[in-house]
Amino acid sequence: MKLSKRICAFFLSFLLLATASVPSAQAACRLGGVRKNLTYSVSDDLQSALDKVYKRYNFSVGWGVYDISGRAPKEVASHNANKKFQSNCTIKAAMLLYICKQMDEGKLSLDTKMYVNTGKLHYHDFGRGSGSYTVEYLLTRMIHVSNNVCYETFLRYATKETFNLFLAGLGSGTVVKSYNYMGDCTVSDRAAEWYALYKYCHSRAEHADFAWKLLTEAKFSPIRDGLKKTVAHKSGWYWESGMYGTAGDCAVVQTENGGCYLMVMFTKNNTKGNYSQALMRELAVVLDKVWEEYYDSLPLFRRKKAKF
């Protein structure tokens, strides 16, 4: 009897150990806080269309299309989703989320005045002199016209270390190492951040509606211009010697069925010259078709729509 108990205990311990050593299916397919799609693949026709876009320009390209209707962002399809690109101004959407949460916690308010010392900041695109400006004014300029001084003012308020911890908490691997460089990121990093931002904007948080309104009113978006659809977005680009070298855009795209999905893209010019807005507009059109193909392939009971 004692021997039987020992044998059962041995096999039970072995089973528990084996189970613990094997990651769950969900954990195994997570990357950068995003669940990978294990069932859908882009059709040959759309892959051919994507290849034609790539060949038309001499760029490195990374993109991802994400289903944001569930409890975690789900990667529908991607290309170079874990390749590093310059964050540029796309990181300002994550800063918006950070500041909104600070306001929700009572540490700031829209009326709080922050001192902007234009003489001691790295960026100089403010267009106004040093002085005290409300959080609402600084957030609006940071998102609407992508003002860098506003972003740096918020980053110095938060500190790099605290903001990096905040990003990590969202499932993002982006690390801001200085106040004069917005860091590097992957498409997957931005997708994790935007999923958290999207969920926040559709929650009962005090400043959720304010944040969503800013994102839908932001001025420059190759994704919006290509699709001619309503989007909530934040783009970014890097200007050097009169030329654009890298660019990106992140957008929650409204669909005809009333739902929405997330599109993230980054580009890097492989030769000196202007980055092509045309590339991003063309790419957005094909990626929108990727989403439609994916959604149409789902059985009716799985067609859950995320609310725009």
Side-chain angles (χ1 to χ4, degrees), residues 35-40 67 69-70 74-76 291 294-306:
R35 292 188 297 120
K36 291 186 71 67
N37 191 295
L38 302 179
T39 57
Y40 168 78
D67 185 338
S69 63
K74 183 177 182 181
E75 180 185 291
V76 171
W291 168 260
Y294 159 77
Y295 192 80
D296 289 344
S297 71
L298 295 175
L300 292 177
F301 69 90
R302 289 185 56 201
R303 294 186 186 184
K304 185 178 178 181
K305 295 188 294 187

Side-chain angles (χ1 to χ4, degrees), residues 27 93 113 117 181 183 185 217 251 278:
K113 289 194 173 182
N117 191 335
Y181 184 68
C185 73
E217 293 176 348

